[in-house]
Amino acid sequence: VFSMDGAVAPLRGIVELASRYGARVMVDEAHATGVVGPGGRGLVTQLGLEEQVDVVIGTLSKALGSYGGFACCSADLAELLINRARPLIYSTGLPPPVVAASMAGLAVLRDEPEIVRRLWANARLLRGELAAGGFEVAAGEMPIVPVVVGEPDLAVELSERAFAAGVFAQAIRPPTVAPGTSRLRLVATAAHGERELTHAAGAIGTAARAVGALPRSS
Ligand SMILES: Cc1ncc(COP(=O)(O)O)c(C=O)c1O
């Protein structure tokens, strides 16, 4: 997933290429854990590519609400990482409360799959409200919703005006994104209420009209 666009990697094609050229495939599911696939189990699971992907890495710090990360791989590769991965060897292990919090996060994900469904419903709602307000919103594959406005100053001003209206919509500028594609990066979560999302889209629309990022008549 490219985390500024909410774009999903063409993993089937990558796996095909890897098998043609004998390469290993590692997938970073940092943005997909708890979000993509059945029960939020990630893109590899969604596409049924568990047998074709060598390593899945992820973070416990995003949807799972904890800290640290993980690598899912063969027992042999795990052994190699434990003995050779410098960040693992030369750092202190995760504190037990952090491990407990991560396991609790996983248990919530397993026991309450409706949270993932709510997340996607909220993302669709936010996209729909923005589109109804006159924004061109790409049909997204992820709950990350980029509102591209172009120039960096415009994105910053829009972000500040949205913030003044109670909406946290971060401005993302070059070099994080390509010149001319500065944007607000919105993220719908399962914890948002319908009214919050409607308010957010409305406030961003009002701010965009005020700064000239949207025509006043729309
Ligand atoms: C794609 C991707 N991988 C890995 C990470 C690292 O996660 P953490 O900050 O928990 O180390 C991030 C964090 O933003 C990310 O976006």
Side-chain angles (χ1 to χ4, degrees), residues 116-141:
V116 181
R117 287 195 286 274
R118 201 181 322 135
L119 166 67
W120 284 98
N122 280 348
R124 273 193 298 277
L125 176 68
L126 180 60
R127 278 201 171 78
E129 289 290 319
L130 288 166
F135 287 102
E136 267 184 43
V137 188
E141 298 174 289

Side-chain angles (χ1 to χ4, degrees), residues 1 3 28 30-31 59 61-62 68:
V1 175
S3 59
D28 182 344
H31 285 263
T59 179
S61 75
K62 296 187 191 292

